[in-house]
Amino acid sequence: MIFRLFLFSFFIVFNLVFSKEPVITIALLNEPFYNLSFNDNPSLNDTIKKIFIEDLKLNVKFKEVSYLDLKKGLKKNEIDGVALIPKNDMFNSSLHFSESIYSEELFVISQSQKLFSLGDLNDKIIYTSHIESYRKILNSILDNNDFRSYLIPVNNLDNYKDNFILTSNPVMYEPNYGINVSKSTGVSIALTEKYSYLLPKINNILKNGFREYFLNKLNQLRRAKSFDNFYESLTLEEKDYLDNLSSLNVVYEGASNTLISYKSEISGSYKGIAPKIFKILQNNLDVEFIDVTDRGYKTSDNLINKDIDIMLLSKTQERIKNLTFSSKIAELGVYVINLENNPNTPRNVGVLKDSVEQHIARRYDVDSNIIVFDNFEKMVNALNNRTVGNLLVTNKEAFDVNKYNITFFESIPINLAFNKNDVILRDIINKAFKYIINMPKLSDEAALEKDLENKVVYQRNKQFKNLSIYFSVLFVLIILGVSSYLYKEKLHKKSLLVDSLTGLPNRFIFDRFCKEYNYFFGNTFVIDLNNFKQLNDSLGHEFGDIILKEFANFLKNGFTKDHIFRISGDEFYGFSFENSIEIVERLSAYKKFCPTLVKHGVTFNLGICTKSSKTSLIKSFKYADLAMLETKKNKNIFYKIADKKFIEKMDRESSILQLLKENTSGIYPVFQPKYSLETGSLIGAEALARYNSKEIGVIAPFEFIPIAEKYNFIHKVDYKIAKESIAFVKQLLDDKYNLENFRISFNISIKTFKRDDLINIISGLLKSFNISGKYFEIEITESIFVLDMKDLITKLKELKKLGIQISLDDFTAGHSTAGLLPLLPIDMVKLDKSLLDSRTINKEKGEIVFKNLTTLIKDLKFKIVAEGVEYKEQVQFLKELHIDYAQGFYFKKPITGNEFIEENCVKKGYRL
């Protein structure tokens, strides 16, 4: 018994002395921002250690590594996890990720190169860290916007901050220019398979307070670094000025009620973008900003006299003579307010004294037509009394949309204005905008706060209104008064729901009809008048009104049991329980009842769709509208019924269009070989676009190319095929194939040729793949001659400077351009397949045309390619005429790049 007790005690002591908890190696990324510690703020890497040491209580060894060394460490099993890493699919095979701790935002910034929009990055070099996910996100955004940049990963971005750099922490680099390009993937903790069992516990720690704790530390760090950047940017004079500054008097917009500043109905204090700016400045600069807005009416004269220090104003040419201004803090909408479009209403305009609206009015009108008011209430009363016909204001919220017409006029920038001598104060605040005030975030917060306040005020007013109605029941006289008021309001609202000219229900009622009567079954139809605009412009709006009234009365009398709407201008929508034939017959009778339309040649196009149980009213009207548009392309018909086949076609077109908008990854090239007729050797190939979509499968070129052209997405197709063609040739060169006298051709459409970025895109692609243009040929069609010839020839010459040859495709397929051939800097003419096929209809005449055209082209020293060669007899005919090159199904159908290499390089045993 004693011996057993001894053994047991020995075993416990042995385990206590010799057993060790396994050591987990956690990598800390050696990223500058992750290692930044400031004053009392620990670095993010130090903050994240808390999870492993205090919460998980693990025996941890922390190892600082670069992003590049992280891959090596994981491969050698020297690392068990990463404390902070942006989520990405590069490490999916080796790491398991926790829930996101925080989301990063990606910025492209620069200290010296100007940058205001994504387009400024086109064809530029951007330096990045080695984090692949950042580059992948930016490349995707650039590609979706048809831009191309050259992303170069470097070890230290600080060495490149005078250029464009991609970062998630611009605060590290003190940029003067920058744009927010995207949100990045979330930053998280990642562990190897061996320790992935810890992730549920880590996720639980994140949910139970650590995420908030970490974000608080992150925000403290950013604020501290931002303020340090700000303070370091100040001159000694500016620092001394701040040390002696205790308070400043500021003035907001007063009577205005905009997002920039407005008086809260709840607290009575001013809120909005400007008050938030001054709150941030007060907290950071230790200066009190005193609101004196309500201490009497203030103008710019008060700034000039130093009665106040800062005022919200728009910078104008007149004001900069006496004042100095900060950078723009926001933009403000200016609106025209009037009661009605009545010829008897005065055409003058009312504005507040010394307001930006007064300056804008002077820009567009003479002073004698501008009425200046020193009081907002007086100005509104003048409008209501028709002393003035229009007001120019920024606070449209002060006007009831049911009573006033409100029309957007223009946007104006708003700045902080200072006395002319307060340049130091202005410069300090401008630096604060750069370093410590995040204007986009602040604007979003102000908008959210205003929206919340509006909802609270609405609910409060609603409760008060309900209470008033409750008490009004007790008093008969009040009941009669309220009833009379409500009746008038009903009549007023009813008048607003009807088109004032024709008396037909307007778009508002149409939208409500589609929502409330979606269960109806019948036929929707859409009508669009022809020649109306020309008559309206030439004979005047009054005559146009006569036509619209006449046609509207015809519709009302012809469809008394149905629903007719005037949607806009000369467009009318209808819903009828009758069949489509009956609708066409009724509308065809318009000549009997619309003499004015007939006299002046006003006709209409009509589209009809049967509304089924599976189709909503909105969708049915959409199909009817599309059918109407189809009739405009065919002058022989005035109506079209959207049958099942038409709807399927439109739905497919819509699906293809959506795919083209979102993603062109399914577009790829196939290559149709070209051969020398003299030697029989391969001399190149034409790249043809094909589309294979994951969502709807194979899409034929005759489907997606017309859609791309119709909706202005053809440049995406052209640039994608150009890029893939260049990549294909690069592959052949890298594989050491001899490409002497070998060219790949690709098409550039007329719409792409109109674009200003054509030359930059093509030259950028060649530069990106480090390849000469001598391996390529661009094919243009005869239709391109509708372009400005000077611009066309300039672009063709620029392409030829890159070494690219130019080929005129589909010659004689639809345009007569023989007279233009001598003017064009082209190298080759491709004869359209129809020329060769014409010999089968009339061999003698077909050959005469063919021979004469080839003689003309050869005399102009152009090479000739014959397209669409399908028979041996055609080949012999072409050889007799000494045609240079040919392509077609007789030689080879279009094949993929891999098939092209296999058949022309591998099987034949020789290099191209």
Side-chain angles (χ1 to χ4, degrees), residues 840-854:
T840 61
I841 300 169
N842 188 318
K843 186 175 182 182
E844 183 180 352
K845 290 183 178 180
E847 290 186 356
I848 289 172
V849 172
F850 204 99
K851 288 175 183 178
N852 286 331
L853 279 173
T854 56

Side-chain angles (χ1 to χ4, degrees), residues 203-212:
N203 289 335
N204 194 47
I205 292 168
L206 292 175
K207 288 177 184 175
N208 290 328
F210 185 84
R211 183 180 283 110
E212 287 74 14

Side-chain angles (χ1 to χ4, degrees), residues 446-457:
L448 189 64
E449 185 178 57
K450 193 171 194 302
D451 183 58
L452 183 62
E453 169 149 326
N454 288 341
K455 289 176 180 176
V456 171
V457 171

Side-chain angles (χ1 to χ4, degrees), residues 739-797:
L739 301 186
E740 194 66 32
N741 299 319
F742 177 90
R743 290 178 184 269
I744 292 288
S745 67
F746 51 85
N747 292 279
I748 296 293
S749 70
I750 181 173
K751 288 192 175 181
T752 306
F753 231 93
K754 287 181 180 179
R755 293 174 63 89
D756 294 334
D757 63 358
L758 172 67
I759 305 301
N760 286 337
I761 291 292
I762 299 299
S763 62
L765 287 171
L766 293 173
K767 190 185 299 182
S768 175
F769 285 96
N770 192 24
I771 192 169
S772 168
K774 71 179 184 178
Y775 300 107
F776 303 100
E777 176 186 319
I778 284 180
E779 298 191 10
I780 59 176
T781 62
E782 291 182 285
S783 61
I784 208 161
F785 299 121
V786 301
L787 297 178
D788 173 55
M789 284 300 292
K790 184 178 178 181
D791 182 58
L792 169 62
I793 291 173
T794 300
K795 286 178 178 174
L796 290 175
K797 286 180 177 178

Side-chain angles (χ1 to χ4, degrees), residues 522-527 554-555 558-559 562-564 573-590 604 606-611 624 638-641:
N523 284 281
T524 56
F525 57 93
V526 171
I527 302 169
F554 162 67
L555 292 176
F559 295 89
D562 301 314
H563 301 268
I564 306 294
Y573 282 17
F575 178 87
S576 176
F577 297 101
E578 302 292 343
N579 60 46
S580 56
I581 303 301
E582 179 66 25
I583 293 171
V584 173
E585 288 178 355
R586 287 190 190 182
L587 290 172
S588 297
Y590 84 99
F604 61 84
L606 168 68
I608 304 175
C609 179
T610 300
K611 196 268 183 191
F638 82 93
Y639 78 92
K640 181 174 181 61
I641 297 173

